[in-house]
Amino acid sequence: RASCVEAVVSTQSTGDTPINRIRNYLAARNWWDDVSEKEFRSETRTEILRSFREAENTKLPNPLQIFDEVYEEMPRNLQEQREVFVEHTNKYADNYPLGNHEKME
């Protein structure tokens, strides 16, 4: 009986992967071909790179949201933790690069 690792290695070495099987299935029915494959890969790559650029240019959320959006009315102990967090990150600002985050208010 083959182990999981052996099965994966065997599948990869023979090219018998789920993606290859579906590609072969579609090609056998003339629903997919090399031109479609090339176009799909190009379009997908372009879309992924655009999404990465968009994400990289988006500010990260305000770190205080982790406190503010949990309870309708914040318990006192959580208010204290929030205050300590703000004081700590302000005191040691060099160790907390929050420039890519929305402003803490």
Side-chain angles (χ1 to χ4, degrees), residues 17-63:
T17 65
I19 292 173
N20 287 339
R21 285 196 300 270
I22 192 71
R23 183 184 298 119
N24 293 338
Y25 174 84
L26 295 172
R29 286 155 182 75
N30 293 319
W31 297 339
W32 195 253
D33 56 23
D34 289 340
V35 173
S36 299
E37 178 88 17
K38 195 171 192 173
E39 288 175 8
F40 174 76
R41 285 180 180 266
S42 176
E43 292 170 6
T44 303
R45 178 179 170 77
T46 300
E47 184 177 338
I48 289 170
L49 292 175
R50 181 190 52 75
S51 296
F52 274 133
R53 280 191 301 276
E54 184 179 315
E56 289 169 346
N57 292 323
T58 301
K59 287 244 183 227
L60 297 172
N62 178 340

Side-chain angles (χ1 to χ4, degrees), residues 2 14 23-24 27-28 35 50 53 64 66 73 92 94 99 105:
T14 63
R23 183 184 298 119
N24 293 338
V35 173
R50 181 190 52 75
R53 280 191 301 276
L64 295 178
I66 196 168
E73 188 173 324
Y92 299 103
D94 293 343
E105 298 172 357

Side-chain angles (χ1 to χ4, degrees), residues 6 16 48 58 60 69-70 73 83 87 93 103:
E6 290 170 338
D16 185 29
I48 289 170
T58 301
L60 297 172
E69 298 183 2
V70 178
E73 188 173 324
E83 291 166 10
E87 290 172 14
K103 284 248 184 231

